[in-house]
């Protein structure tokens, strides 16, 4: 079970600045999440290019996940995050500039979407080791919950105001706000001066290939972390299935069609569940260790998913999605926190980007693809049920590991 520092995190200047950087940047990115697909569709009229923009959020993890982890463990993480934020400001800022000059093309927008997500991946790789350096491993649960809770709030707010900003500034002009948010984020991180630079002397560092192998060996050789990575991938699969099919499910089962505003409430309920999860997790971790906590949260998530799939009442679905989202966030942050707690500082980037590569990079798009395929061939309830099956499998994995440990305590 976790312990806490006597000093509240809000009084830790380094964490406060980092938290502000995540809140500001998250708000800008939430607006861009809406504006980029709108912009590329305006420029091209191509659903395929719109899909490529959506896929750019996860594809970099498959393309560069191992590389980003190795880089973040070989350089100063604070410097890496500042540089990637500045580059992202320039990257996103190129869109309104090109639009103002009359040079903007759909290809430019797609390239920016992929490059921006790739830079964000390298930023995240630095975060995994940076947060433990700021707050210490004993306060990781509170720190990660505070960060994810803030990111959830600003994501909801950003999505909510994006439509009005697009109407006011046009899609391309709206992206200037995100570019500004990256610049402000870099300034906040630069203000975190309490963390010493961690750069191993060049002569003591292994080769790049060996560096990646070290991270893979640690992840594969840690039984609990290995099991939790499998669970995280299965849960991300369910998340991809839910988000990918929610519009179809609302239309065909809940009677929410076209521009009906209730569809926004469903998405908001799923996202808002993350706020509840960020508030609940620190309390749960004070009572349960990381792995035993999953024994109960995952079955609850599976039952809530079953309620969503079986109901035809949008109000019941709304409540179930919100509570399901809470359980989803608890599992997500609990797994990440445990990984940071047990991973040596010099391996944080490699181990956690590999774990994230499997969950976000593989699980989310695979879940969306499988669910959509089943929806087309069988029906929407079956497509949505893939999320429930995936969470159920995750619960089975956790209970199987726990049972094996009880029967073989020497292992």
């Amino acid at each position: 079970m976790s312990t806490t520092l006597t000093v509240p995190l809000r009084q830790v200047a380094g964490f406060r600045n980092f938290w502000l950087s995540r809140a500001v940047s998250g708000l800008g990115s939430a607006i861009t999440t809406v504006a980029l697909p709108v912009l590329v569709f305006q420029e091209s009229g191509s659903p395929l290019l719109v899909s490529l923009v959506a896929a750019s959020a996860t594809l970099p993890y498959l393309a560069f996940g191992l590389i980003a982890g190795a880089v973040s463990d070989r350089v100063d993480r604070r410097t890496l995050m500042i540089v990637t934020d500045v580059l992202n400001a320039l990257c996103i800022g190129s869109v309104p500039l090109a639009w103002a000059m009359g040079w903007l093309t759909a290809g430019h927008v797609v390239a920016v979407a992929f490059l921006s997500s790739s830079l964000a991946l390298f930023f995240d790789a630095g975060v995994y080791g940076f947060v433990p350096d700021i707050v210490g491993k004993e306060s990781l649960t509170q720190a990660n919950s505070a960060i994810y809770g803030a990111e959830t709030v600003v994501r909801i707010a950003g999505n909510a105001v994006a439509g009005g900003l697009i109407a006011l500034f046009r899609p391309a002009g709206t992206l200037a706000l995100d570019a500004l948010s990256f610049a402000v984020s870099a300034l906040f991180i630069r203000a975190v001066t309490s963390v010493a630079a961690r750069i191993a002397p060049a002569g003591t560092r292994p080769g790049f290939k060996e560096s990646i192998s070290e991270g893979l060996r640690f992840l594969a050789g840690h039984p609990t972390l290995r099991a939790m990575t499998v669970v995280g991938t299965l849960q991300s699969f369910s998340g991809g299935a839910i988000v990918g099919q929610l519009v179809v499910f609302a239309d065909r089962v809940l009677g929410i069609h076209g521009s009906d505003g209730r569809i926004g409430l469903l998405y908001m309920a799923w996202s808002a569940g993350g706020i509840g999860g960020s508030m609940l997790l620190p309390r749960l971790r004070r009572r349960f260790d990381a792995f035993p906590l999953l024994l109960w949260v995952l079955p609850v998530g599976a039952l809530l998913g079953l309620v969503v799939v079986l109901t035809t009442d949008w109000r019941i679905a709304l409540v179930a999605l919100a509570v399901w989202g809470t359980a989803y966030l608890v599992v997500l942050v609990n797994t990440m926190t445990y990984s940071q707690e047990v991973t040596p500082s010099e391996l944080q980037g490699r181990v956690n980007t590999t774990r994230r590569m499997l969950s976000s990079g593989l699980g989310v798009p695979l879940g969306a693809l499988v669910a959509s395929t089943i929806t087309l061939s069988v029906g929407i309830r079956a497509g949505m049920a893939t999320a429930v099956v995936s969470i159920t499998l995750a619960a089975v994995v956790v209970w199987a590991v726990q049972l094996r440990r009880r029967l073989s305590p020497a292992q």
Side-chain angles (χ1 to χ4, degrees), residues 389-407:
V389 171
S390 184
I391 289 292
T392 302
L393 286 175
V396 169
V397 168
V398 172
W399 277 95
V401 170
Q402 186 74 356
L403 181 61
R404 187 178 63 183
R405 289 176 177 177
R406 291 287 178 87
L407 296 176

Side-chain angles (χ1 to χ4, degrees), residues 1-36:
M1 289 175 284
S2 64
T3 59
T4 59
L5 286 173
T6 56
V7 178
L9 287 176
R10 63 179 178 274
Q11 295 181 17
V12 180
F15 178 76
R16 187 169 63 245
N17 285 321
F18 180 77
W19 184 90
L20 287 169
S21 82
R22 296 298 78 223
V24 171
S25 183
L27 180 61
S29 296
I31 295 170
T32 293
T33 299
V34 179
L36 268 182

Side-chain angles (χ1 to χ4, degrees), residues 14 17-19 21-22 25 68 71-72 75-89 119-134 147 181-192 195-196 340:
N17 285 321
F18 180 77
W19 184 90
S21 82
R22 296 298 78 223
S25 183
V71 169
S72 71
V75 302
D76 176 41
R77 290 163 181 150
R78 175 172 170 270
T79 301
L80 174 65
M81 291 187 289
I82 293 172
V83 169
T84 52
D85 261 350
V86 171
L87 291 176
N88 230 328
L119 289 168
L121 163 62
F122 280 84
F123 183 99
D124 287 344
V127 168
Y128 295 124
F130 193 64
V131 174
D133 286 344
I134 297 174
I147 293 167
S181 77
F182 278 115
V184 173
S185 173
L187 292 175
F188 275 124
I189 294 172
R190 189 172 182 272
V192 180
V195 178
Q340 290 174 302

Side-chain angles (χ1 to χ4, degrees), residues 43-410:
E43 294 292 325
S44 67
S46 169
L48 175 60
L49 292 182
V50 174
S51 297
L52 286 176
V53 168
S56 69
T58 55
L59 284 177
Y61 271 95
L62 291 177
F64 307 122
L66 296 177
I67 297 172
V71 169
S72 71
D73 286 338
R74 296 166 71 91
V75 302
D76 176 41
R77 290 163 181 150
R78 175 172 170 270
T79 301
L80 174 65
M81 291 187 289
I82 293 172
V83 169
T84 52
D85 261 350
V86 171
L87 291 176
N88 230 328
L90 296 173
C91 175
I92 295 293
S94 72
V95 174
L97 178 61
W99 173 68
M101 301 295 291
W103 299 337
L104 187 64
T105 66
H108 183 168
V109 179
V110 172
V112 162
F114 185 79
L115 179 57
S116 178
S117 295
S118 299
L119 289 168
L121 163 62
F122 280 84
F123 183 99
D124 287 344
V127 168
Y128 295 124
F130 193 64
V131 174
D133 286 344
I134 297 174
V135 303
K137 290 189 175 183
E138 67 277 3
S139 290
L140 275 173
T141 300
Q142 293 83 357
N144 286 331
S145 296
I147 293 167
Y148 269 81
E151 289 180 343
T152 301
V153 171
V154 298
R155 181 169 63 249
I156 294 172
N159 292 162
V161 303
L165 292 173
I166 288 172
L168 186 62
F169 299 110
R170 309 288 293 275
T174 301
L175 295 183
L177 298 175
D178 193 17
L180 179 61
S181 77
F182 278 115
V184 173
S185 173
L187 292 175
F188 275 124
I189 294 172
R190 189 172 182 272
V192 180
T193 58
S194 57
V195 178
R198 291 177 176 268
I199 308 175
T204 66
R205 285 182 283 181
F208 209 75
K209 183 177 180 180
E210 175 59 23
S211 181
I212 292 175
S213 298
E214 281 182 353
L216 292 173
R217 284 196 299 269
F218 181 87
L219 181 59
H222 195 292
T224 302
L225 188 55
R226 184 174 65 236
M228 292 177 76
T229 300
V230 172
V231 167
T233 302
L234 288 169
Q235 174 168 266
S236 293
F237 181 100
S238 75
I242 296 164
V243 175
Q245 295 299 293
L246 191 54
V247 170
V248 182
F249 180 75
D251 181 80
R252 298 182 183 178
V253 176
L254 302 180
I256 299 176
H257 311 293
S259 58
D260 191 323
R262 290 176 295 173
I263 185 63
L265 292 178
L266 293 178
Y267 276 100
M268 188 175 294
W270 175 254
S271 297
I275 301 174
S278 67
M279 297 172 64
L280 185 61
L281 179 59
R283 295 182 174 88
L284 291 175
R285 280 299 305 272
R286 284 194 287 270
R287 297 188 61 184
F288 303 100
D289 287 329
F291 194 78
L293 177 60
L294 299 178
L295 295 171
W296 309 107
V297 176
L298 287 169
V300 168
L303 287 174
L304 289 165
L306 192 61
V307 170
V308 172
V309 171
L310 295 179
T311 189
T312 57
D313 189 322
W314 72 273
R315 291 160 295 190
I316 295 176
L318 187 76
V319 174
L321 278 170
V323 185
W324 191 5
T326 298
Y328 190 97
L329 194 282
V330 165
V331 175
L332 174 69
V333 181
N334 178 63
T335 301
M336 184 183 72
T337 300
Y338 177 80
S339 181
Q340 290 174 302
E341 288 171 342
V342 301
T343 302
S345 178
E346 66 274 11
L347 292 175
Q348 287 282 358
R350 282 166 284 177
V351 171
N352 285 293
T353 51
T354 300
R355 184 182 54 77
R356 185 80 178 270
M357 180 182 68
L358 293 171
S359 58
S360 296
L362 180 63
V364 171
L366 188 60
L369 177 63
V370 171
S372 62
T373 301
I374 292 177
T375 294
L376 289 173
S377 59
V378 181
I380 181 57
R381 286 192 188 274
M384 286 287 284
T386 59
V388 181
V389 171
S390 184
I391 289 292
T392 302
L393 286 175
V396 169
V397 168
V398 172
W399 277 95
V401 170
Q402 186 74 356
L403 181 61
R404 187 178 63 183
R405 289 176 177 177
R406 291 287 178 87
L407 296 176
S408 304

